[in-house]
Amino acid sequence: MTIKVLHIIGTAKIGGVELSVKQFLENVCQKDSDIQHFLCANFEDNSFITNLKICTLNIRTNTENPFVIFFNAIKIARFVKSNKIDIIHSYNRNTTLTSLIVKKLLKNKMITVSSISGMYNLSGIFRKFFNQWFLKTDYTIAPSKCAKDHFMRNYKIKNPDQIRVIYEGIDPDDLPNVPLNFEQKLNLYKDSFKIGMLARFSKIKGQQILIEALHYLPKNFNYECFLIGPQKPNSEKYLNELIQKFNVNVKILHQEYSWAINLCDIIVCPSTREESFGRVAVEAGFLKKIAIVSSSGGHLEVVKDKITGFYTKQSNAKDLAGKILFVKNLPENEKDIIKENAFNFVRTEFSIEKHVQQKLQLYKEIINNN
């Protein structure tokens, strides 16, 4: 019997949760399997599905409008019924709510799975109410043990086995390559120590902590720093004000410069709040780069302190400055050992192959149990 799974995401874009789903589908479609996959999303263009030979449904899934969500559910219910879908797998709060409505419309004739994409702020009644949608599906996938523990602590969960931990998988073939004329594009300083950060521009991600940390480095420290992320004018204005205030050498680059992370000596992830996974730190391992990460959340599972990378105290700029200086002064042979350790660790624990295998096993288990 062929198992049919419909994946629902928001806007089909190359980043975050959407990138994870894209890499999963690209890899799983290359395998002989008795599971057939479908994709529902808001497709702004065809670039997202260039290598995906699967049936798709293009609707406005990237919305918080309750009326649009309800009409989306009606369209998806028709799609599920006509294609005889067995499992709906949703990846954020809005699409999870949509999948729950679909289940009601079809009188519980299919199974719902949700993937927790973040350890969300639980302050306020409404926020806590919205977040619990992930736990109303038949099964929930957490991207780390700490994410599962977070929801177990904050919600009454009758069946802990409902939440399964499946780490994200990284496909190294999708990591950005350095263009031939990169020196002209970036105007790099000679022999500088290059510090990189790849994340959306947000106080949660901690760009402001890194900027302040650079201020505490010795005055004769020859460095340059790249902050890379999707364009966000208001956040960039705030960061530029900090750069001027602390008089530090920082370039703000947008997503098309994500390849610049390959040029960096270290990759910094100074999140001010617990990460549910820590994708950038894992990518650093695949690139054989040393990562310095906040000592909290998923980072504790994807980086081993002083073995595959280094921890820094959360929201502590002085401690981060000390860690940057420490890595800079490490003997090259010790740096090489840490890079190799990181590569071997992420290749074993966070490969796309392992991720695909675990998700397929879960789908089969779900069907067998129902």
Side-chain angles (χ1 to χ4, degrees):
M1 182 186 75
T2 300
I3 301 170
K4 296 183 177 181
V5 182
L6 172 63
H7 304 266
I8 312 179
I9 59 176
T11 300
K13 59 184 180 180
I14 310 300
V17 174
E18 295 78 14
L19 176 59
S20 176
V21 175
K22 179 176 184 288
Q23 290 183 346
F24 167 77
L25 291 173
E26 285 179 345
N27 280 269
V28 79
C29 289
Q30 297 173 9
K31 301 177 182 297
D32 292 328
S33 175
D34 51 359
I35 300 179
Q36 184 179 358
H37 299 270
F38 302 77
L39 178 62
C40 175
N42 179 34
F43 296 98
E44 294 183 340
D45 55 57
N46 292 326
S47 61
F48 191 86
I49 54 174
T50 301
N51 298 319
L52 296 178
K53 296 179 180 179
I54 61 175
C55 183
T56 60
L57 176 63
N58 185 2
I59 58 176
R60 284 181 55 200
T61 49
N62 60 332
T63 180
E64 295 182 354
N65 186 312
F67 297 103
V68 177
I69 287 174
F70 182 75
F71 284 112
N72 282 346
I74 294 174
K75 293 175 185 177
I76 293 171
R78 291 172 183 162
F79 185 85
V80 167
K81 192 173 181 180
S82 63
N83 289 283
K84 299 180 180 180
I85 303 293
D86 301 295
I87 299 170
I88 291 183
H89 190 159
S90 56
Y91 292 84
N92 55 41
R93 284 178 300 174
N94 298 339
T95 58
T96 296
L97 173 60
T98 306
S99 73
L100 293 172
I101 297 173
V102 172
K103 189 176 178 73
K104 290 287 186 182
L105 292 173
L106 295 178
K107 299 179 180 179
N108 300 328
K109 290 183 179 179
M110 28 70 62
I111 301 163
T112 54
V113 179
S114 62
S115 282
I116 299 170
S117 53
M119 297 197 297
Y120 300 101
N121 181 5
L122 295 172
S123 61
I125 297 174
F126 291 108
R127 177 69 71 178
K128 192 165 185 176
F129 172 75
F130 291 144
N131 292 341
Q132 70 179 343
W133 289 339
F134 289 113
L135 304 174
K136 291 185 178 294
T137 52
D138 298 304
Y139 295 85
T140 306
I141 296 176
S144 63
K145 294 173 185 175
C146 75
K148 177 177 179 176
D149 292 344
H150 175 81
F151 275 78
M152 294 287 291
R153 284 195 309 270
N154 290 287
Y155 294 94
K156 293 180 180 179
I157 299 172
K158 296 180 181 179
N159 179 17
D161 194 48
Q162 170 197 347
I163 306 181
R164 307 297 183 86
V165 175
I166 298 180
Y167 289 114
E168 292 295 332
I170 306 299
D171 187 346
D173 291 337
D174 272 358
L175 296 176
N177 294 315
V178 179
L180 294 175
N181 58 343
F182 72 90
E183 291 178 325
Q184 296 174 3
K185 288 179 176 289
L186 283 184
N187 191 26
L188 300 173
Y189 293 170
K190 186 177 180 180
D191 300 325
S192 64
F193 187 75
K194 296 172 182 62
I195 303 163
M197 180 175 173
L198 178 62
R200 73 179 188 273
F201 299 125
S202 164
K203 289 185 178 180
I204 293 172
K205 292 299 181 181
Q207 284 90 355
Q208 72 279 7
I209 303 298
L210 175 54
I211 290 171
E212 184 180 351
L214 298 175
H215 171 70
Y216 294 118
L217 293 174
K219 298 300 180 184
N220 61 348
F221 195 118
N222 180 22
Y223 75 90
E224 50 193 320
C225 177
F226 309 122
L227 302 182
I228 309 167
Q231 193 168 5
K232 196 174 180 182
N234 289 339
S235 296
E236 291 174 48
K237 180 182 177 183
Y238 165 70
L239 293 175
N240 276 313
E241 289 172 353
L242 286 181
I243 291 167
Q244 292 179 7
K245 173 184 175 181
F246 290 111
N247 190 28
V248 290
N249 181 21
V250 177
K251 291 184 176 74
I252 294 180
L253 306 173
H254 295 137
Q255 205 82 15
E256 63 270 22
Y257 282 89
S258 58
W259 51 264
I261 214 75
N262 289 272
L263 307 176
C264 294
D265 296 289
I266 58 170
I267 295 175
V268 181
C269 306
S271 309
T272 61
R273 201 170 72 185
E274 291 184 327
E275 294 281 0
S276 60
F277 178 55
R279 185 182 184 90
V280 173
V282 177
E283 291 176 345
F286 275 106
L287 292 171
K288 293 190 176 182
K289 303 291 181 182
I290 294 178
I292 300 177
V293 302
S294 290
S295 57
S296 64
H299 282 149
L300 300 178
E301 296 173 52
V302 302
V303 172
K304 296 181 179 181
D305 192 30
K306 302 173 186 175
I307 300 172
T308 68
F310 294 91
Y311 296 160
T312 180
K313 295 176 183 177
Q314 191 168 290
S315 300
N316 190 318
K318 287 187 177 179
D319 185 71
L320 177 56
K323 292 294 164 53
I324 292 172
L325 193 60
F326 177 81
V327 173
K328 166 67 169 63
N329 292 330
L330 272 178
E332 289 302 318
N333 65 317
E334 292 187 27
K335 290 180 186 177
D336 291 340
I337 291 172
I338 292 172
K339 293 174 185 177
E340 198 64 33
N341 288 343
F343 177 73
N344 290 330
F345 178 57
V346 299
R347 184 178 57 176
T348 302
E349 298 297 328
F350 311 111
S351 68
I352 188 65
E353 291 82 11
K354 185 173 183 177
H355 175 75
V356 167
Q357 182 184 25
Q358 289 180 332
K359 281 178 77 171
L360 295 182
Q361 285 177 346
L362 178 61
Y363 296 145
K364 291 178 181 179
E365 179 188 334
I366 286 171
I367 295 301
N368 290 335
N369 289 343
N370 290 272

